[in-house]
Amino acid sequence: MIAVTGLYAGLLLLLAIALILRVIDARRSEQVSLGDGDNEVLAVRIRGHANLVENAPLFLIVLGVLEFNGASPILLHFLGILFLVSRILHAIGLSKPTGVGKYRYYGTLGTLIVMLAAAVYLVVQSLMGINLHG
């Protein structure tokens, strides 16, 4: 059973839904059906949603493999919480008109650090055969 990964998949899906709703709201208010209509607000909201969709699946795959291989639930929750918080910060940062602000910066930095840590742990876990159900 992959319960920890399922939790973060569900929470990230809720975040994705919130970001989709923001895109829909901007499409309605700006009356743009396809693309971004050269509207900066809509373009930023589309990228915010797309950025989550680009990063979350890779993270969830690695988290799921770590969990399947027997990684500590504490480690998995630590990675999951940090990734989720980082993605929320990034989304908040993109909702500000200033562009690259502290929320976006720390959200991006946190995402990269968590993904790097998870990737390194997975490589080490795989090379050393740590906790591989045996």
Side-chain angles (χ1 to χ4, degrees):
M1 181 159 68
I2 304 182
V4 176
T5 302
L7 171 64
Y8 294 101
L11 292 171
L12 288 165
L13 184 56
L14 291 173
L15 178 57
I17 291 167
L19 294 175
I20 290 168
L21 291 174
R22 288 178 40 81
V23 171
I24 291 170
D25 180 59
R27 284 193 184 285
R28 284 186 181 152
S29 67
E30 302 300 325
Q31 298 182 356
V32 177
S33 177
L34 295 172
D36 62 20
D38 291 327
N39 180 284
E40 188 174 340
V41 170
L42 182 54
V44 168
R45 289 185 183 185
I46 289 169
R47 279 306 311 146
H49 173 257
N51 193 276
L52 175 66
V53 172
E54 293 162 359
N55 286 283
L58 293 171
F59 173 74
L60 289 170
I61 289 167
V62 171
L63 193 69
V65 173
L66 287 171
E67 184 170 8
F68 180 79
N69 287 347
S72 161
I74 293 171
L75 172 69
L76 297 171
H77 282 295
F78 181 73
L79 293 171
I81 289 167
L82 288 178
F83 187 82
L84 180 63
V85 168
S86 295
R87 298 319 305 163
I88 291 169
L89 288 174
H90 186 267
I92 291 169
L94 280 179
S95 69
K96 306 293 181 193
T98 57
V100 181
K102 65 181 177 180
Y103 291 107
R104 185 175 176 197
Y105 172 81
Y106 288 115
T108 300
L109 181 63
T111 297
L112 292 173
I113 290 170
V114 169
M115 289 178 78
L116 177 62
V120 168
Y121 189 86
L122 181 60
V123 169
V124 169
Q125 184 188 54
S126 297
L127 290 175
M128 298 182 70
I130 299 171
N131 297 323
L132 297 177
H133 298 291

